[in-house]
Amino acid sequence: MSSADTDATRRVTIRDIADATGVAPSTVSRALSLPDRVNRATQQRIQDAARELGYVPNQQARALTSGRTRAVAVLVSDITNPFYFDVIRGTQHQLSAAGWTQLLVDTEESADAETAALGAIATKADGVVLTASRLSDAQIARFAERTPLVVVNRRPPGVPSVLIDTPGGVEQAVQHLVSLGHRDVLYVAGPDSSWSNERRWRALVRVAKRLGVRVARIGPHAPFVDSGAAAADAAVHAGATACIAFNDLIAIGMLARLRERGVRVPEDMSVVGCDDIFGADFCNPPLTTMTSPIERAGRVAIRMLLGRLGALPGDELPTDGPGDHPAEAVALPTHLTVRESTGPAPTARRPS
Amino acid sequence: MSSADTDATRRVTIRDIADATGVAPSTVSRALSLPDRVNRATQQRIQDAARELGYVPNQQARALTSGRTRAVAVLVSDITNPFYFDVIRGTQHQLSAAGWTQLLVDTEESADAETAALGAIATKADGVVLTASRLSDAQIARFAERTPLVVVNRRPPGVPSVLIDTPGGVEQAVQHLVSLGHRDVLYVAGPDSSWSNERRWRALVRVAKRLGVRVARIGPHAPFVDSGAAAADAAVHAGATACIAFNDLIAIGMLARLRERGVRVPEDMSVVGCDDIFGADFCNPPLTTMTSPIERAGRVAIRMLLGRLGALPGDELPTDGPGDHPAEAVALPTHLTVRESTGPAPTARRPS
DNA sequence: TTGAAAGCGCTAACAG
DNA sequence: CTGTTAGCGCTTTCAA
């Protein structure tokens, strides 16, 4: 039908639509971007023509004048980490629902790469979601002044952030362990540079004190499955009988090493992870862990960002209340998912 | 030092550099993009000034005139699938090594979304990597005429593609099973719409015939862990004693269900997966699977794409031979990784 | 409500 | 080798 005269080799521009409808390009632009400022009739005519001709707006050009790119950059520190899979999934969903584009950037755990990316991105994206930043609060805050920014799992003063309430999860985890008769718990720390790591440790210390549980700490450990082996060895050496790992990756790695060494989980040692990433439910044994709404964190981050950019579709992106914008820092609750890696404390048995 | 006069609120443009160095903007442009076509001295001066002023080129504007965006879109059909994370990791690494940007798009298994994305992307990216496309070969080929395109795990005539040689892997898997005494193998099929699925099945039939093994097939099954339960039930019902699953996700799901039902793996049933995704090594029992160089596939795809776009840095992106471009279709070898989910065939025991 | 005109930041002829 | 001149496709004053 309409294919013969449509498959020109050149892309359709507003000029083509203007010619086709007999109006000026500027009117076409308006009809497409600010439909209210145009006569209903011509508006209709223009939109029809646009559809007819298969018009696709050129975001580059649009960005050049308006300064808005309709893209957001999502920075992750290690694309390898399954934790981010879920974040990315969340951001991607929310973004595409709003018709926006996601720029994915892997900063590879490097503050320099992060800074560089942030600098280079300013022109390509309208906003940034920063996860597990290696930058200082001050640096983040300073950058946030120039570019709309939402951070995940970090709390720089004055910068909107999405937090996953792992401290709350830690509390549940300790209580669970206590209910199983444990009186000592070992924290298997993640990287020193991780904000969440310190946060979890402090939460652990606090709860432990309240519940009269003794705590110890080993680490730091890189957040990889492979780090679990060393962590497991250290835990065994420390005579631990229950441990809470910085994240599921380390915990899963520990599980493997413990089995290898003949340390039974949970009979000899209870292990709890954190995050409930892909795999936590089918490792051996399935991991008791703090289930975090990671994907939701990604979605919420985008929602906050889009809200600040004034780009909320409104219909389908409910905010947390009747207020204008979502709160400046939202904390998403975590809950403990008990699986088979935790069990009763071994009675009166402590390796020397 | 240089902060006082640097932190203007406006971004630095080539014009600023031109003013600072006393040359014309076009000279600045050249000095930055085609350094050879400019006097060494001025070139140096300009580059110094650019660095001094903290110049960051505006890709949007650059794209508008040159038509090149220095971005590539990577389309995946389901961002949830761990398989794609390795692909994405590969593309991301290779892209950022070349200083390019990655646009990640999740088409959510929908051909319409895929078409829409492809249309909308043409202006935002210089090329596209298409994984697990839901489009027909003809559609892909047609699109490839307009936009540089590389497909992964698909082979539309005339379109450059990166294949993972799972057929080769299937052969190894069957041989492995035969060496363990199995004479029957059940193929647990993936989605009907999957090109790889048919490809694996055909490879299986071929090898089986050659080795005198009987084959059967159940499915289709969606490529999720959750689909594994039904698959396991069907496999048991079919009296299978060895099966090869379309992918690790399904295989891992089967493992869980089989354990639940008291079917021992590998004593009662051997299970082999495909892909060797994150988790295949720590599920219970660890999965024998075809290890695919997934990340490498992503890297190679980008390399081919960049090669076609004439954007190969040259230094660090070796091609496969002394030829100009990498071959039009490269097949990456797969190898079988034997873990604990496969074992000797149960002797003379067949459930009714 | 619409059109004309200017210009976003950059590149690409074309002269000089 | 370098400057001048046009735009890329779109938005956005400013008039009409």
Side-chain angles (χ1 to χ4, degrees):
Chain A
M1 277 312 185
S2 67
S3 72
D5 51 344
T6 297
D7 59 8
T9 174
R10 210 173 44 79
R11 287 188 73 83
V12 179
T13 74
I14 52 169
R15 225 205 135 79
D16 299 323
I17 304 180
D19 291 348
T21 52
V23 299
S26 51
T27 305
V28 176
S29 172
R30 265 184 302 248
L32 265 23
S33 325
L34 314 87
D36 313 332
R37 293 173 166 244
V38 139
N39 186 342
R40 282 258 328 166
T42 48
Q43 204 250 87
Q44 197 52 255
R45 209 148 45 86
I46 290 171
Q47 292 201 332
D48 289 349
R51 200 169 312 109
E52 195 94 8
L53 298 173
Y55 170 72
V56 181
N58 182 329
Q59 297 295 351
Q60 320 284 346
R62 185 175 274 185
L64 200 53
T65 31
S66 66
R68 276 168 284 110
T69 59
R70 293 181 68 80
V72 345
V74 176
L75 304 212
V76 301
S77 64
D78 174 16
I79 217 177
T80 274
N81 187 331
F83 178 86
Y84 296 116
F85 295 5
D86 289 312
V87 176
I88 294 170
R89 197 194 310 175
T91 51
Q92 160 72 47
H93 276 156
Q94 200 71 15
L95 241 17
S96 66
W100 282 50
T101 301
Q102 162 162 278
L103 273 39
L104 181 61
V105 182
D106 183 3
T107 59
E108 313 201 7
E109 311 263 6
S110 142
D112 287 345
E114 199 174 330
T115 313
L118 284 173
I121 250 145
T123 166
K124 305 194 224 193
D126 293 344
V128 177
V129 172
L130 211 53
T131 64
S133 178
R134 289 288 181 261
L135 268 32
S136 71
D137 277 7
Q139 286 176 299
I140 295 177
R142 191 141 41 82
F143 197 86
E145 289 169 9
R146 318 192 130 251
T147 310
L149 194 63
V150 172
V151 298
V152 174
N153 263 355
R154 188 66 180 271
R155 181 105 193 66
V159 179
S161 59
V162 178
L163 267 25
I164 293 180
D165 180 28
T166 40
V170 168
E171 170 152 5
Q172 296 176 53
V174 176
Q175 266 164 350
H176 168 60
L177 257 15
V178 166
S179 74
L180 289 169
H182 294 276
R183 310 300 302 164
D184 290 86
V185 358
L186 179 71
Y187 182 65
V188 181
D192 282 335
S193 59
S194 162
W195 186 79
S196 304
N197 186 51
E198 281 318 305
R199 197 148 163 266
R200 283 169 203 171
W201 167 244
R202 285 202 308 275
L204 178 52
V205 170
R206 202 180 325 121
V207 186
K209 171 171 280 180
R210 217 185 59 224
L211 300 182
V213 168
R214 280 182 297 273
V215 292
R217 167 175 176 155
I218 57 172
H221 300 279
F224 310 133
V225 170
D226 288 348
S227 311
D233 290 344
V236 170
H237 180 254
T241 158
C243 39
I244 297 181
F246 166 64
N247 72 7
D248 287 349
L249 256 14
I250 296 176
I252 287 171
M254 290 180 71
L255 258 25
R257 177 62 165 189
L258 292 173
R259 182 153 8 88
E260 204 176 298
R261 293 192 47 171
V263 179
R264 295 166 306 162
V265 175
E267 291 81 357
D268 303 325
M269 167 124 52
S270 286
V271 176
V272 359
C274 186
D275 292 341
D276 200 7
I277 60 171
F278 174 84
D281 58 335
F282 62 70
C283 56
N284 182 14
L287 192 65
T288 292
T289 186
M290 291 161 244
T291 301
S292 304
I294 315 179
E295 180 178 345
R296 202 172 137 227
R299 286 205 306 270
V300 170
I302 293 300
R303 218 142 70 192
M304 290 174 68
L305 195 54
L306 260 31
R308 260 147 234 277
L309 291 168
L312 273 188
D315 339 64
E316 45 163 334
L317 300 179
T319 48
D320 297 313
D324 300 326
H325 286 316
E328 194 183 55
V330 334
L332 269 20
T334 265
H335 69 270
L336 187 72
T337 297
V338 176
R339 290 195 269 248
E340 300 166 32
S341 69
T342 46
T347 51
R349 175 163 42 84
R350 292 290 294 276
S352 75
Chain B
M1 272 315 185
S2 66
S3 71
D5 51 345
T6 297
D7 58 10
T9 174
R10 209 173 46 78
R11 289 188 71 83
V12 179
T13 74
I14 52 170
R15 225 206 135 79
D16 299 322
I17 303 179
D19 291 348
T21 52
V23 298
S26 53
T27 305
V28 176
S29 171
R30 265 184 301 247
L32 265 22
S33 324
L34 312 88
D36 313 332
R37 293 170 167 251
V38 139
N39 186 343
R40 283 260 326 168
T42 49
Q43 204 251 86
Q44 197 52 255
R45 211 148 42 87
I46 290 171
Q47 292 201 333
D48 289 349
R51 201 170 311 109
E52 195 93 8
L53 299 174
Y55 170 73
V56 180
N58 183 328
Q59 297 294 353
Q60 321 283 345
R62 187 174 274 186
L64 200 53
T65 31
S66 66
R68 276 167 286 111
T69 59
R70 292 180 69 79
V72 345
V74 176
L75 304 213
V76 301
S77 64
D78 175 17
I79 215 175
T80 275
N81 187 330
F83 177 87
Y84 294 115
F85 278 98
D86 288 313
V87 176
I88 293 169
R89 197 194 311 174
T91 51
Q92 159 74 44
H93 275 157
Q94 200 72 15
L95 241 16
S96 67
W100 283 49
T101 302
Q102 162 162 279
L103 273 38
L104 181 62
V105 182
D106 183 2
T107 58
E108 313 201 5
E109 311 264 6
S110 141
D112 287 345
E114 199 175 330
T115 313
L118 284 173
I121 251 147
T123 166
K124 306 194 220 193
D126 294 344
V128 177
V129 172
L130 212 54
T131 65
S133 178
R134 290 286 180 265
L135 267 33
S136 72
D137 278 7
Q139 286 175 300
I140 296 177
R142 193 140 41 84
F143 197 86
E145 289 169 10
R146 320 191 130 252
T147 310
L149 193 64
V150 172
V151 297
V152 174
N153 263 356
R154 188 68 179 270
R155 181 107 190 66
V159 180
S161 59
V162 179
L163 267 24
I164 293 181
D165 180 29
T166 40
V170 167
E171 169 151 8
Q172 296 176 53
V174 175
Q175 266 164 350
H176 167 60
L177 257 14
V178 166
S179 74
L180 289 169
H182 294 276
R183 309 301 302 165
D184 290 87
V185 357
L186 179 70
Y187 182 65
V188 181
D192 282 335
S193 59
S194 161
W195 185 79
S196 304
N197 185 51
E198 281 319 305
R199 198 148 162 266
R200 283 169 203 169
W201 166 245
R202 284 202 308 273
L204 177 53
V205 170
R206 201 179 328 121
V207 187
K209 171 171 281 182
R210 216 185 61 224
L211 300 182
V213 168
R214 278 182 298 274
V215 293
R217 168 175 177 155
I218 57 172
H221 301 278
F224 310 134
V225 170
D226 288 348
S227 311
D233 290 344
V236 170
H237 180 255
T241 157
C243 40
I244 297 181
F246 166 65
N247 72 6
D248 287 348
L249 256 14
I250 295 175
I252 287 171
M254 291 180 70
L255 257 26
R257 177 63 165 188
L258 292 173
R259 182 152 8 86
E260 206 175 296
R261 292 191 48 169
V263 179
R264 295 166 307 160
V265 174
E267 292 81 356
D268 303 325
M269 167 125 50
S270 286
V271 175
V272 0
C274 186
D275 293 341
D276 200 6
I277 60 172
F278 174 84
D281 57 336
F282 62 70
C283 55
N284 183 12
L287 192 65
T288 292
T289 186
M290 291 162 243
T291 301
S292 305
I294 315 179
E295 181 178 346
R296 205 173 135 226
R299 287 205 306 270
V300 170
I302 293 299
R303 219 142 70 192
M304 290 174 68
L305 195 54
L306 260 32
R308 259 145 236 277
L309 292 168
L312 272 187
D315 340 66
E316 46 163 332
L317 300 179
T319 47
D320 297 314
D324 301 325
H325 286 316
E328 194 183 56
V330 335
L332 268 20
T334 267
H335 68 269
L336 188 73
T337 297
V338 176
R339 289 196 271 247
E340 299 166 33
S341 69
T342 45
T347 50
R349 175 162 43 82
R350 292 291 293 277
S352 74

